[in-house]
Each structure stands twice: as structure tokens, then as C-alpha cells.
Amino acid sequence: MASPYFINLASFSFYHQREDLHSSTRPRQQQHNDDHDPYGSDPSGTAVVVVTAKQALTPKDKKKSIGKQVRSISDQFHSATLSPTVASPSLKYAGRTNLGKSVVQYGASDNTTWTANPDFHPEVKMLKDFEYLPLTKAYKFMFEKAETVGEVRNDLTLCLGDEMEDVMLDKEGEGGAERYTTLIEETEGMISTLGRIHCGPSTRLEADGIMFEGMMDSWRMGKVVPLDLSQVKGFSLFPGQIVGIKGTNSTGDKLHVQELVDGKVPPEPSSPITITPGTGPVQLVVAGGPFTTTSNLLYEPLSDFLTTVRDNPPHVLILLGPFLDAGHPLLVSNDLGETHDTIFKRCLRIIAKALEGTLTQVVLVPSSRDVCSSIVYPTPPYDVPGGNFIRVSDPALLDIEGVVVALTATDILFHIGKKEISTPPQTRDRLGRLAHHILKQRSFYPLYPAHEKMCVNSEKLDIYGQLPCKPHLFILPSGLRYFVKEVEGCVMVNPEHLAKGLTGGTYARIELRPPASGTGMTGAINADILKV
């Protein structure tokens, strides 16, 4: 999808003067390739190297070129059209320390190889373990009716409520169960009700003023009442969280809570794991954007990262956007001499070139923060040619030889953490607790209302943003501190971002080994987070 053009007038004039000076000497075929085929791809989508008339080598020239060094990855990010501001190297990035240092390890580090078996080609495909097909193309948004949003939210509440029945409802004999009670009418005695944590205009929760929006009945909206949580030993709540409550509602003005159930973890995946000792482990490398520092658009962290990956190519490379962050200072100040698409496509072309000759499969996950992507969430895949790129949506569920991998480029950990209230301090660490919310709510984005910089389509979130099963591996890059944690039998990885402000960040390498007999996949995953 083409992006809007944001053009600095001075850079625009300089750019076109350069084009005028060289247009007469540039071969026509090369102009065509630069303007219309920046990837150098054939119509089938297979990545190829474009050799123009100007670049063609005679046999005599080839002899001269033997032993000549290939242009480095970092040099390829330089362009004659970049202004000095955009192309000035970052001194702080160049002066960073602990290059390549491992900062977090998970699993049995003594049996890791970190080297991909070249004879093993793991199958990477979208998980089809749910009712709807994966999101593959753009869709219309920003015209949802409030009534539709309410119905979708209520449906999500009822679906999770059905899963919580075994802990929420008192059984009456073998065949029946007491159903949830609405809050429309006052009732004496203990009730079991279902709803979500409601947030008013302030969009912040206060411990002594938490509101609860009950589920709708067949023809009336759910009632909103304050919660009395004085008898609950501890809780961790955020806006939009679906909860089950046992308590009393004798006056109808306040719900006195005796017990609070904050969701239920999804069931185990049904897909069989096909990794065997004979094939060897699957090697993954994961990095999340931004991929360049805030001082320039030279993509120095991405360049160094690709050099490392090229030297030890994995089976699968997962890159999560944004590639060109809408909040980058140089974009905000409009200090560019190129279009957004040109910069974005140069990144992809260099990624493909760096991995040329390897069997690495590259998974591209879009971000709504990327100027070359749709601003809506769930976010459709990048509109780029295929080739060796596997284009998925945000969020996405992958099946890699039976291992279910959940991916999202959206910083849901930070978004929930900004709104969450927890009292008293919980025994589970904060980062683990935030990750726990996502699993128990069975949603990639359970926060409602969404973060102020998010444009969430409720209907599409209902279809593409739910967790039908518990992933074996969950990748969720965040601005919060990197971690690898086992949460409810799921290994959750926050590799942070490849670039952090003016300096470099971190990325993750992950090894998926065949699980031991009678054990789950949790013990067969090794992970390492490293400095770029």
C-alpha cells in the first residue's frame, strides 16, 4: 500500500536537480527498475538480482572483479539522496559497549547449538486452528457504530464466561448449572455475575473507585456499578478486563465482591510437534523495530544485526515492525529527501540481499506505527512482494513444525502496564503478571479503551485477535525490560527493540528442540537475548 508523501522542499529541489543532471546518462532500463521495481523482483514475486546495462560485466571485466570485496551491508543503507542530517552516523551508537553480550538466558544453555542444520527445512505456516482464515489484506475501518462495539465486547465477555463456568458456577446435579446473574435487578444472597472492568472519562483506575460493567441481557445494556473489593485479599485489574465475580448486590448500588476470577488460560494446542532428534532443533532469530536510531536513517543497528545473522543464518528470521516509525524525529520534522516507500523498500531489499544464498525464511510482522503500513489494529500484512518473505498480520499465529508461535508487534505489555492497578503488591513479578493477563484474557489486546495512539477495530479484533489455544512460544516486543519467562506453560519472550533511542538495543535467538517423551514443549525451548 502506497504511503503519503512527506517532502521537505529544500531536499525536494536538491533531489530533482540531481535527477535532471544524470537522467540523460542513466540507461532507460535502469530508470524503469528504480522507479517501478525497487525490489528487483520478477512478476512471480521471486527475488532476483537486477543487472542493468550499466552494471553488466563482460568476461574481461569479471576477471578484474575477482577478489574485489562485496559492498558491506552498512554501505548499502547510504543513498545519494539522503540529506546530511539523515545520513550522519550516530556517535553514541558507535561508542556502545557489550556488543553481542548475552543479557538473558533461558533453558538448558549447555545443550544449545545455535547453528541451523542446513539439511532441515522446517515448515512455517499460519495456524489454522480457528474458525476464520488469517488476515491477508487491507480492510475498511473507522466507521464502527457504538452499538456494534458494545455487542462485540459483550460477545467476548460471554465467550470467556463460558470457559470460566467450572470455577464460577455452582453445579446442580449432573446436567445443569446455575447461570450468571445480571445486575439489572437487586437480588438477595450470593450471586455469580460476569462483566468487565469499566473505566470512566479519566481512563485511570483508582483502588477505591473501580467500576464494573455487567453483561447485557437479551434487550438491555449492562449496568455499571462500583465494586467493593475490601474483602478480596489482592487483585490486579485493568480497563476492559473480563472478570467473573461472586458477591452480593442487595441494593443495586454497589457490588460487594467475595471472590474474583480474572479469566482462564486457553487450552493446549492440538497440533502434533514434528521436530525430531534426526532433524535437529529449529533455529529462530527475532528482532523488533525500530531498527534505526533516532538520530539518523542509516539503520546502523539493523546493518550490524544482519551481518551477525548472515554469518550464522537461522532457519527462520522474524522481524517485527516498525521499519519506519511514524514517531521518528526526522519524520516528524519532515527532514527527508526520499519518500517513505523508498526507504522502506531499501530496507527489505538489503535484508533479502544479506540472506541471499541461505535457506533462511524471513517472517515480516507489520506495525500500526509504521508509516508504510495501515494504522489500524489488527494490522494487515505489509504490501510487498513475496519471494523469501512470509508476510503475516499483526497479530499472527504461526505453526512451525507443530510448535505454535504467537507474534505481535504491538506493545500490549506497556499499554496494560500503564493502566493496570495492583494491590497489595503481588507475589508474581510485574512483567510476568502483565504477560499473565494476556493469556488469561485469551486476547492479543484485551485493553479497552485502547491506548490513545491505537486505532483498534473491535470487529476485526474479535476475529483475528483472540487466542484459540495456548501458544508454546509468545513473542511480544516491548519498551519494558527484556525477559524470557515461562507463564502458565507458555514461554513468553520480550526481546525489546533493536534500536533504543540513540543507541542499540537487543534481539533474541531461540532454539526449538524436540520435546522429551511425556513432557511439554516448555522444557524444549532455549532462548538467549543479546545486545546488538
Side-chain angles (χ1 to χ4, degrees), residues 196-389:
R196 60 187 178 88
I197 301 303
H198 181 79
C199 196
S202 65
T203 69
R204 295 191 65 86
L205 297 179
E206 302 293 341
D208 57 350
I210 296 176
M211 307 295 288
F212 177 79
E213 182 179 354
M215 61 183 182
M216 295 188 291
D217 62 13
S218 58
W219 56 280
R220 289 177 292 189
M221 295 295 292
K223 186 176 181 180
V224 178
V225 298
L227 294 180
D228 179 359
L229 294 164
S230 59
Q231 298 185 55
V232 179
K233 291 183 179 179
F235 57 85
S236 177
L237 302 172
F238 62 89
Q241 183 180 16
I242 299 171
V243 296
I245 290 177
K246 290 184 178 180
T248 57
N249 182 36
S250 56
T251 64
D253 296 329
K254 180 174 287 190
L255 183 57
H256 300 269
V257 182
Q258 302 290 329
E259 182 181 349
L260 188 147
V261 179
D262 58 353
K264 190 174 182 180
V265 175
E268 296 289 337
S270 59
S271 55
I273 296 173
T274 55
I275 307 172
T276 66
T279 61
V282 177
Q283 300 293 340
L284 309 179
V285 174
V286 181
F291 295 102
T292 187
T293 63
T294 54
S295 61
N296 60 46
L297 289 176
L298 292 179
Y299 289 86
E300 295 159 297
L302 180 59
S303 173
D304 291 338
F305 170 73
L306 289 175
T307 301
T308 302
V309 171
R310 183 181 60 185
D311 292 341
N312 184 19
H315 291 115
V316 182
L317 172 62
I318 300 175
L319 299 176
L320 305 102
F323 284 87
L324 193 55
D325 195 336
H328 193 287
L330 294 175
L331 269 72
V332 174
S333 63
N334 198 22
D335 194 11
L336 302 180
E338 297 179 300
T339 65
H340 300 157
D341 277 347
T342 300
I343 298 172
F344 173 59
K345 290 174 180 177
R346 182 189 301 124
C347 288
L348 298 189
R349 184 176 66 247
I350 294 172
I351 292 169
K353 183 67 176 177
L355 296 173
E356 191 176 35
T358 72
L359 297 175
T360 300
Q361 302 175 72
V362 183
V363 179
L364 295 179
V365 185
S367 169
S368 60
R369 290 166 47 196
D370 202 318
V371 295
C372 295
S373 179
S374 177
I375 64 171
V376 69
Y377 182 87
T379 310
Y382 286 119
D383 184 15
V384 298
N388 208 33
F389 291 132

Side-chain angles (χ1 to χ4, degrees), residues 151-163:
E151 291 175 352
V152 169
R153 302 301 303 181
N154 192 64
D155 288 343
L156 292 173
T157 301
L158 295 175
C159 288
L160 188 54
D162 290 341
E163 301 298 330

Side-chain angles (χ1 to χ4, degrees), residues 109-117 281 283 312 509 511 513 526:
S109 58
D110 56 338
N111 68 352
T112 54
T113 63
W114 304 126
T115 302
N117 177 4
Q283 300 293 340
N312 184 19
R509 59 183 180 184
E511 189 173 81
R513 306 183 68 85
N526 299 324

Side-chain angles (χ1 to χ4, degrees), residues 407-471:
L407 303 172
T408 181
T410 300
D411 197 346
I412 181 58
L413 293 178
F414 176 77
H415 293 178
I416 292 181
K418 189 176 179 180
K419 303 292 184 179
E420 182 207 39
I421 182 171
S422 181
T423 183
Q426 303 291 297
T427 55
R428 186 184 295 112
D429 66 284
R430 180 171 181 260
L431 296 177
R433 187 177 70 242
L434 295 176
H436 197 255
H437 284 315
I438 298 172
L439 284 182
K440 296 201 76 173
Q441 292 292 294
R442 301 192 178 194
S443 173
F444 281 96
Y445 202 91
L447 181 68
Y448 183 82
H451 188 271
E452 55 267 21
K453 293 185 179 181
M454 290 288 293
C455 172
V456 176
N457 184 289
S458 297
E459 290 183 280
K460 299 300 182 183
L461 182 65
D462 183 19
I463 298 173
Y464 303 113
Q466 306 308 307
L467 290 171
C469 63
K470 180 175 62 179

